[in-house]
Amino acid sequence: MEDDEACNTKLRLGLGLDDYVPRKKRHDEKAKPVVSLDLAFALRPKQEAMNVDHKADRPSFKKMERDHEYPSKENGSINNKKDGGRKKLRLSKEQASLLEDSFKIHSTLTPAQKQALSQQLNLKPRQVEVWFQNRRARTKLKQTEVDCEFLKKCCESLSEENKRLKKELQELRSLKVGPSPLYIQIQKAATLAMCTSCEKGIKANEVKGNEAVFDVVRK
DNA sequence: TGTGTCAACTAGTGTC
DNA sequence: GACACTAGTTGACACA
């Protein structure tokens, strides 16, 4: 059974009753991102990523709505549909440039900054807000693409390295049938050199001029 | 006219 | 609960 909101949304979107997929469901089943990796954002605490202090005074949406700074359901959207539907606003080069400049300084705005910027640009605060939201989304998308490309290269490189090591191992095996003490030692030395978690071991060996490794060979 | 871009929107979520 | 945020979507517009 559908709720009223879903039905209303269908009507609003001009969809047939079977076409509408509730947002939660769309999110879960259909709209899974192609790339789920977002290292830069995932590794940072959200607050830092947003460069925002939540303790700072927050804007009051309701108050702004009352003051007609924000659109409301009653008032319609920024581009009131009653006035001929949604018109595509194109920001001028100057507006876009100024917005870009302030985005470079901070990716989120305090209410005061938003207000000042909107006055400077002769836009509504809501428009400035939307621009920043969309800009953050674009930045994130770009970063995801960069991360994806980087990981792809890492994967390729590791794959190559793996091939090379397998080949090397094959060659070493063909030199000696069955493991000799020297062969075992080469393997150990190789492990020490490659394993990042054994960095301490490598450093210890470096200090002793690889004495530790070669001691075992001598024995 | 098909496609990409982007401002504006909605729904869901996290934080206080 | 109020609010700001993100993700996903819509629709107008530009352009090849």
Side-chain angles (χ1 to χ4, degrees):
Chain A
M1 186 176 167
E2 295 177 310
D3 55 29
D4 291 345
E5 198 179 350
C7 287
N8 287 337
T9 308
K10 282 180 188 177
L11 291 171
R12 189 160 33 80
L13 296 173
L15 296 170
L17 292 181
D18 294 326
D19 293 331
Y20 177 75
V21 181
R23 186 165 186 88
K24 183 74 169 75
K25 204 168 183 182
R26 274 184 282 164
H27 181 74
D28 291 341
E29 294 173 6
K30 284 190 168 182
K32 282 178 184 165
V34 179
V35 180
S36 60
L37 294 159
D38 185 11
L39 299 178
F41 279 77
L43 293 174
R44 274 184 295 168
K46 191 178 176 185
Q47 202 122 319
E48 187 193 336
M50 300 317 302
N51 189 24
V52 68
D53 180 11
H54 282 287
K55 283 174 185 170
D57 58 330
R58 292 162 153 223
S60 165
F61 184 92
K62 289 291 169 194
K63 184 183 177 301
M64 285 180 163
E65 196 173 274
R66 274 202 309 275
D67 298 340
H68 306 289
E69 289 181 30
Y70 278 76
S72 66
K73 279 167 191 165
E74 291 76 21
N75 295 332
S77 55
I78 291 169
N79 296 305
N80 199 329
K81 281 171 187 163
K82 284 174 192 167
D83 301 335
R86 190 155 87 177
K87 286 281 172 196
K88 174 82 175 178
L89 168 90
R90 277 276 159 182
L91 298 174
S92 70
K93 277 187 178 177
E94 290 73 23
Q95 285 172 322
S97 164
L98 191 53
L99 284 164
E100 281 291 344
D101 288 345
S102 26
F103 185 82
K104 278 176 196 162
I105 298 165
H106 23 58
S107 59
T108 52
L109 294 171
T110 63
Q113 286 168 334
K114 195 198 299 175
Q115 190 64 42
L117 203 52
S118 65
Q119 280 175 1
Q120 204 175 344
L121 293 163
N122 197 26
L123 293 171
K124 288 175 179 150
R126 172 68 183 157
Q127 288 175 293
V128 174
E129 172 121 3
V130 165
W131 187 91
F132 269 75
Q133 283 169 4
N134 286 321
R135 186 66 178 78
R136 282 194 294 272
R138 286 197 293 273
T139 303
K140 190 173 183 182
L141 183 65
K142 209 151 217 174
Q143 186 60 49
T144 304
E145 284 169 6
V146 168
D147 289 341
C148 188
E149 204 54 42
F150 173 73
L151 286 171
K152 230 162 104 183
K153 290 217 167 85
C154 277
C155 186
E156 280 167 14
S157 148
L158 284 170
S159 196
E160 281 301 308
E161 179 73 354
N162 190 29
K163 265 189 210 167
R164 190 186 64 73
L165 288 169
K166 273 183 181 169
K167 197 181 165 193
E168 205 177 305
L169 186 62
Q170 197 74 40
E171 283 168 7
L172 287 168
R173 275 184 177 147
S174 66
L175 283 176
K176 285 270 177 186
V177 181
S180 68
L182 178 63
Y183 171 64
I184 291 166
Q185 205 41 62
I186 291 167
Q187 272 192 317
K188 282 183 178 174
T191 308
L192 277 168
M194 286 189 295
C195 178
T196 52
S197 64
C198 299
E199 225 179 5
K200 281 181 187 173
I202 293 168
K203 278 181 182 164
N205 289 336
E206 280 170 357
V207 171
K208 293 178 183 173
N210 288 332
E211 278 296 308
V213 172
F214 292 111
D215 274 348
V216 188
V217 178
R218 283 186 213 113
K219 282 173 194 169

